């Protein structure tokens, strides 16, 4: 360990090369949301029309925040807590808030990797276990719950989660999920055992492999029947949808969460850079690659969704063809999928009563494409179902789940770094304790906390954490970050910092965004988000075989005690911001008052007051 020539601060570990750093930032930013959240938003918000508010949010909100975080981390060369303490002791709570959010996000995020491992292990079976229903206990027929729903739904809700009817019924720990969760945390620990030295090696695989798999999926998906229908749906814009303010709110939150700002990981990663490095170019590159990946991932996803919709549409029509063929006693192959519409029009004209009595199913391709899903629903239900219909389904299932694991793992690096770097920078742990042990303790605590997600009600708790931990707290942290740098540290000082690092001062666009546009967007998004949430009663979808409309999910409001936990998850991570500021102000006031009482008029450092009597004597 030595000193850096420029700043005189203790030497930090450094990336082996610039590629390692960029791959780590890209891997952290590009996560599961790029694959299963962005395509969903495109699907429900008018296809290509969604790209307009998305790109506007990227330019005026995402990139300025990303640039700001990479710049302050690189200049001050500390983790989140150290950075904000250096800018102002009153902002020390911002770093603690970032660390807490990063820890909480890491807890539920790694649970997804546990589910992915479970599906990956089962992808080696032939046939795939979610392709058919299991037999019932008496071995006299198929499982009733599976027959009422689908094999894919049954495997997810019963075989994987063994889900309870509601969040109040906890259920026991599912041993298979506990093993998968422990395995996921072990993989994270192994990759992180040497800090950025081992992470830097791991990202060569975790950050690049998803692009290889996406490319393979793209080539395969474009050859599937119905792929063009899905792509037409993706790229056909519905301009009317832009009048809906919810579209703009979702676009802003998507780009914000997608870039992984405000959770401390990016600040930590950039702190291991050389001080003289063009962080502006890095921010633009990472931001554009992240958004390009979202669009690139949408193409194979929509092509496969188009294939799935076409398969379901053809099955629907074949069911109607069978009913018509049996009733009118036509010979086989007389009515086909290709001439079905012509035959139906003819029979409606000649025998309308008989056709009406058959109660044929209404088959519409657009309706099947409109069946949207995001998150776990897209990965473990919709995509798993589509894979079954593809030739060589085991290969595609293995590739898909390995890709998801790589995406999630590279994002986990940032979440853990966002916790470890502040702990190391604050020297909260004695030097004689090795870093490997500190990392192990953090991973163990996270694993034990995450056991709540392996219960029968675990998926309900996962949705609570997913919906509320990474929403309001991150928006509040970002608002304090940009305000702290620009208005506490000062735009002029920040300007000089960037000039010192890059040799160029930020242009008028960056200054306008940092000083006015980005804080304003963040404030509007935060207020709008809180207003939207306040107007709706928090509810969740349950999987209940006893529900009268099963296999539809039953929507229930959260119990009051769960609602109280939701409030805590939103408040606790950011309560440190006012508490630390208040603590520092009180300490400052106490020091000032004690300094005043310590003044002694008879010591050389005090002020001597000459009385009139002394003046006369001197005269």
């Amino acid at each position: 360990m030595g000193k850096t020539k420029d700043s005189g601060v203790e030497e930090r570990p450094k990336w082996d090369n610039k590629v390692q750093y960029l791959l780590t930032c890209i891997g952290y930013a590009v996560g599961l949301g790029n694959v299963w959240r962005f395509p969903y938003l495109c699907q429900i918000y008018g296809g290509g029309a969604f790209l307009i508010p998305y790109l506007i949010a990227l330019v005026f909100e995402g990139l300025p925040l990303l640039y700001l975080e990479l710049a302050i981390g690189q200049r001050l060369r500390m983790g989140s807590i150290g950075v904000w303490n250096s800018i102002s002791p009153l902002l020390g709570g911002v770093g603690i808030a970032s660390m807490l959010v990063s820890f909480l996000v890491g807890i539920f995020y790694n649970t997804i990797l546990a589910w992915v491992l479970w599906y990956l292990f089962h992808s080696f079976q032939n046939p795939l276990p979610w392709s058919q229903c299991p037999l019932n206990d008496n071995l006299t027929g198929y499982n009733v719950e599976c027959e009422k729903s689908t094999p894919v739904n049954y495997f997810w809700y019963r075989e994987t989660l063994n889900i309870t009817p509601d969040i109040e019924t906890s259920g026991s720990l599912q041993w298979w999920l506990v093993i998968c969760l422990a395995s996921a945390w072990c993989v994270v620990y192994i990759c992180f055992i040497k800090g950025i030295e081992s992470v830097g090696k791991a990202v060569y695989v975790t950050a690049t492999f998803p692009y290889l798999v996406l490319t393979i999926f793209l080539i395969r998906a474009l050859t599937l029947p119905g792929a063009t229908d899905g792509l037409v749906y993706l790229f056909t814009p519905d301009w009317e949808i832009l009048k809906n303010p919810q579209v703009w709110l979702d676009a802003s939150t998507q780009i914000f969460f997608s870039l992984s700002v405000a959770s401390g990981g990016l600040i930590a990663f950039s702190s291991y850079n050389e001080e003289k490095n063009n962080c502006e170019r890095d921010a633009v590159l990472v931001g554009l690659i992240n958004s390009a990946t979202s669009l690139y991932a949408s193409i194979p996803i929509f092509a496969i969704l188009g294939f799935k919709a076409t398969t379901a549409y053809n099955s629907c029509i074949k069911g109607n063809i069978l009913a018509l063929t049996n009733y009118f006693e036509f010979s086989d192959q007389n009515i086909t999928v290709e001439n079905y519409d012509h035959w139906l029009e003819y029979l409606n004209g000649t025998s309308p009563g008989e056709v009406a009595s058959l109660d044929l199913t209404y088959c519409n391709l657009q309706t099947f494409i409109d069946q949207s899903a995001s998150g776990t629903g897209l990965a473990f239900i919709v995509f798993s179902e589509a894979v079954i219909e593809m030739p060589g389904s085991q290969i595609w299932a293995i590739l898909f789940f390995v890709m998801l694991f790589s995406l999630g793992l590279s994002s986990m690096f940032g979440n853990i770094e966002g916790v470890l770097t502040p702990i190391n920078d604050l020297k909260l742990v004695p030097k004689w304790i090795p870093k490997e042990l500190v990392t192990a303790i953090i991973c163990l605590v996270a694993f034990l906390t995450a056991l709540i997600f392996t219960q029968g009600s675990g998926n309900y708790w996962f949705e609570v954490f997913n919906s509320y931990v990474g929403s309001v707290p991150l928006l509040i942290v970002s608002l304090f970050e940009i305000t702290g740098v620009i208005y506490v540290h000062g735009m002029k000082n920040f300007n000089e910092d960037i000039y010192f690092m890059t040799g160029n001062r930020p242009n008028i666009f960056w200054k306008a965004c940092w000083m006015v546009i980005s804080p304003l967007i963040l404030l509007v998004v935060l207020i709008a988000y809180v207003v939207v949430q306040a107007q709706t009663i928090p509810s969740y979808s349950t999987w209940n075989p006893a529900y009268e409309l099963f296999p539809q999910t039953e929507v229930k409001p959260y119990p009051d005690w769960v609602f109280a936990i939701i409030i805590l998850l939103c408040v606790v991570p950011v309560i440190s911001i006012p508490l630390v500021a208040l603590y520092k102000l009180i300490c400052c006031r106490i020091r000032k008052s004690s300094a005043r009482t310590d003044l002694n008029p008879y010591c050389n450092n005090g002020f001597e007051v000459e009385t009139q009597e002394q003046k006369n004597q001197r005269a």
Side-chain angles (χ1 to χ4, degrees):
M1 304 293 276
K3 303 275 186 180
T4 55
K5 292 179 182 178
D6 293 313
S7 60
V9 296
E10 190 177 342
E11 183 67 65
R12 291 175 69 80
K14 291 177 183 171
W15 300 105
D16 289 349
N17 52 63
K18 185 68 173 285
V19 174
Q20 261 189 15
Y21 164 64
L22 288 175
L23 283 177
T24 307
C25 288
I26 290 167
Y28 180 39
V30 175
L32 296 169
N34 297 71
V35 173
W36 69 26
R37 178 67 179 165
F38 179 81
Y40 165 74
L41 292 173
C42 285
Q43 191 174 8
I44 64 172
Y45 288 138
F50 178 74
L51 293 176
I52 293 174
Y54 177 81
L55 291 174
I56 291 173
L58 170 68
V59 171
F60 293 105
E61 176 195 15
L63 290 179
L65 273 169
L66 185 61
Y67 184 9
L68 181 137
E69 286 206 351
L70 295 184
I72 57 173
Q74 181 176 309
R75 183 67 183 99
L76 297 175
R77 314 205 64 192
M78 299 177 185
S80 55
I81 295 179
V83 160
W84 299 113
N85 272 328
S86 298
I87 289 174
S88 170
L90 296 178
L91 292 173
V94 177
I96 296 173
S98 291
M99 186 177 74
L100 288 174
V101 171
S102 200
F103 179 73
L104 291 172
V105 169
I107 286 172
F108 77 82
Y109 204 91
N110 217 33
T111 304
I112 303 172
L113 299 193
W115 294 336
V116 169
L117 282 177
W118 172 254
Y119 267 76
L120 179 60
F121 297 152
H122 284 83
S123 296
F124 291 92
Q125 296 183 26
N126 186 19
L128 291 172
W130 56 83
S131 63
Q132 56 192 18
C133 285
L135 295 174
N136 59 22
D137 294 337
N138 299 326
L139 305 179
T140 55
Y142 291 115
N143 181 282
V144 176
E145 182 182 347
C146 183
E147 281 193 310
K148 283 184 177 179
S149 56
T150 64
V152 173
N153 281 331
Y154 181 81
F155 187 81
W156 169 240
Y157 288 111
R158 190 58 54 213
E159 298 282 352
T160 302
L161 302 175
N162 195 19
I163 200 164
T164 56
D166 54 57
I167 196 169
E168 293 184 279
T169 309
S170 295
S172 60
L173 296 178
Q174 315 303 320
W175 63 266
W176 56 91
L177 289 182
V178 173
I179 292 172
C180 289
L181 184 65
S183 302
W185 277 108
C186 283
V187 172
V188 170
Y189 175 68
I190 290 167
C191 292
F192 229 99
I193 196 164
K194 293 291 185 183
I196 66 164
E197 293 176 25
S198 52
V199 168
K201 304 293 188 297
V203 291
Y204 285 122
V205 177
T206 60
T208 57
F209 183 74
Y211 291 96
L212 174 63
V213 177
L214 280 175
T215 304
I216 295 171
F217 264 105
L218 176 64
I219 295 168
R220 180 68 185 97
L222 292 177
T223 63
L224 293 171
T228 51
D229 295 313
L231 294 179
V232 167
Y233 187 92
L234 170 63
F235 289 111
T236 303
D238 178 10
W239 302 115
E240 288 296 313
I241 205 81
L242 295 179
K243 297 177 182 177
N244 181 359
Q246 186 67 36
V247 180
W248 296 85
L249 177 60
D250 280 345
S252 298
T253 51
Q254 171 62 18
I255 193 64
F256 176 80
F257 301 135
S258 176
L259 288 171
S260 303
V261 292
S263 53
L266 290 168
I267 292 177
F269 287 146
S270 64
S271 71
Y272 300 120
N273 264 340
E274 297 283 355
E275 280 186 305
K276 298 294 182 73
N277 173 62
N278 193 337
C279 48
E280 178 182 350
R281 185 176 55 209
D282 296 344
V284 173
L285 191 63
V286 171
L288 292 180
I289 289 176
N290 175 67
S291 295
T293 303
S294 295
L295 189 58
Y296 187 60
S298 296
I299 296 173
I301 293 291
F302 267 87
I304 290 170
L305 290 178
F307 161 70
K308 180 180 177 296
T310 300
T311 304
Y313 173 71
N314 288 341
S315 297
C316 178
I317 287 182
K318 285 175 181 176
N320 288 350
I321 289 173
L322 183 62
L324 290 171
T325 300
N326 290 338
Y327 185 84
F328 290 102
E329 298 181 351
F330 293 134
S331 61
D332 289 344
Q333 306 300 321
N334 210 358
I335 307 177
T336 63
V337 173
E338 288 74 22
N339 64 20
Y340 169 76
D341 289 334
H342 173 73
W343 267 104
L344 188 62
E345 185 181 349
Y346 169 74
L347 292 173
N348 271 324
T350 57
S351 311
E354 288 87 340
V355 172
S357 67
L358 292 175
D359 196 22
L360 299 176
T361 306
Y362 176 69
C363 304
N364 184 278
L365 181 62
Q366 191 69 26
T367 304
F368 287 110
I369 296 179
D370 281 338
Q371 291 175 354
S372 55
S374 71
T376 53
L378 178 67
F380 301 117
I381 297 177
V382 175
F383 215 86
S384 297
E385 194 171 9
V387 163
I388 296 171
E389 305 295 335
M390 296 167 66
S393 54
Q394 284 78 22
I395 300 296
W396 301 112
I398 291 167
L399 280 175
F400 178 67
F401 290 114
V402 170
M403 178 190 72
L404 288 186
F405 192 81
S406 297
L407 283 170
L409 187 60
S410 55
S411 294
M412 276 301 298
F413 294 157
N415 291 324
I416 299 301
E417 190 65 44
V419 177
L420 283 174
T421 303
I423 289 175
N424 292 331
D425 286 351
L426 288 177
K427 296 179 172 57
L428 296 177
V429 180
K431 283 189 175 181
W432 56 268
I433 298 179
K435 288 183 178 179
E436 292 85 352
L437 183 58
V438 177
T439 306
I441 292 170
I442 295 293
C443 289
L444 180 62
V445 171
F447 163 71
L448 294 174
T449 311
L451 287 176
I452 187 177
F453 304 121
T454 64
Q455 298 180 110
S457 60
N459 190 52
Y460 304 134
W461 285 111
F462 173 84
E463 291 301 332
V464 168
F465 273 70
N466 188 32
S467 299
Y468 298 102
V469 167
S471 55
V472 174
L474 286 179
L475 288 168
I476 292 173
V477 169
S478 290
L479 198 54
F480 274 95
E481 278 189 356
I482 202 162
T483 306
V485 172
I486 302 306
Y487 294 104
V488 178
H489 182 58
M491 186 66 233
K492 185 178 179 182
N493 291 331
F494 191 48
N495 206 31
E496 293 304 315
D497 290 337
I498 291 175
Y499 179 72
F500 169 76
M501 292 185 291
T502 66
N504 297 302
R505 289 183 171 81
N507 58 39
I508 188 67
F509 166 75
W510 295 116
K511 291 180 182 178
C513 286
W514 287 329
M515 296 181 75
V516 180
I517 301 172
S518 296
L520 196 60
I521 291 176
L522 279 172
L523 189 61
V524 169
V525 169
L526 176 61
I527 294 171
Y529 187 88
V530 171
V531 168
V532 168
Q533 292 296 325
Q535 289 176 342
T536 57
I537 299 173
S539 59
Y540 65 109
S541 298
T542 66
W543 182 261
N544 184 8
Y547 180 46
E548 57 185 12
L549 298 178
F550 184 82
Q552 293 182 30
T553 53
E554 183 181 6
V555 178
K556 293 183 178 180
Y558 281 115
D560 291 340
W561 64 275
V562 176
F563 184 68
I565 291 174
I566 289 172
I567 299 296
L568 286 175
L569 286 174
C570 291
V571 172
V572 168
V574 294
I575 197 70
S576 61
I577 298 175
L579 286 182
V580 169
L582 189 63
Y583 172 75
K584 297 288 185 182
L585 285 172
I586 292 171
C587 289
C588 184
R589 185 64 59 87
I590 291 172
R591 279 197 298 269
K592 282 183 178 178
S593 60
S594 63
R596 277 197 293 268
T597 57
D598 288 344
L599 285 176
N600 185 349
Y602 301 104
C603 73
N604 292 332
N605 296 327
F607 295 98
E608 292 186 1
V609 180
E610 190 176 38
T611 63
Q612 187 64 41
E613 186 179 345
Q614 288 172 324
K615 284 182 182 178
N616 294 336
Q617 288 176 353
R618 185 163 52 82

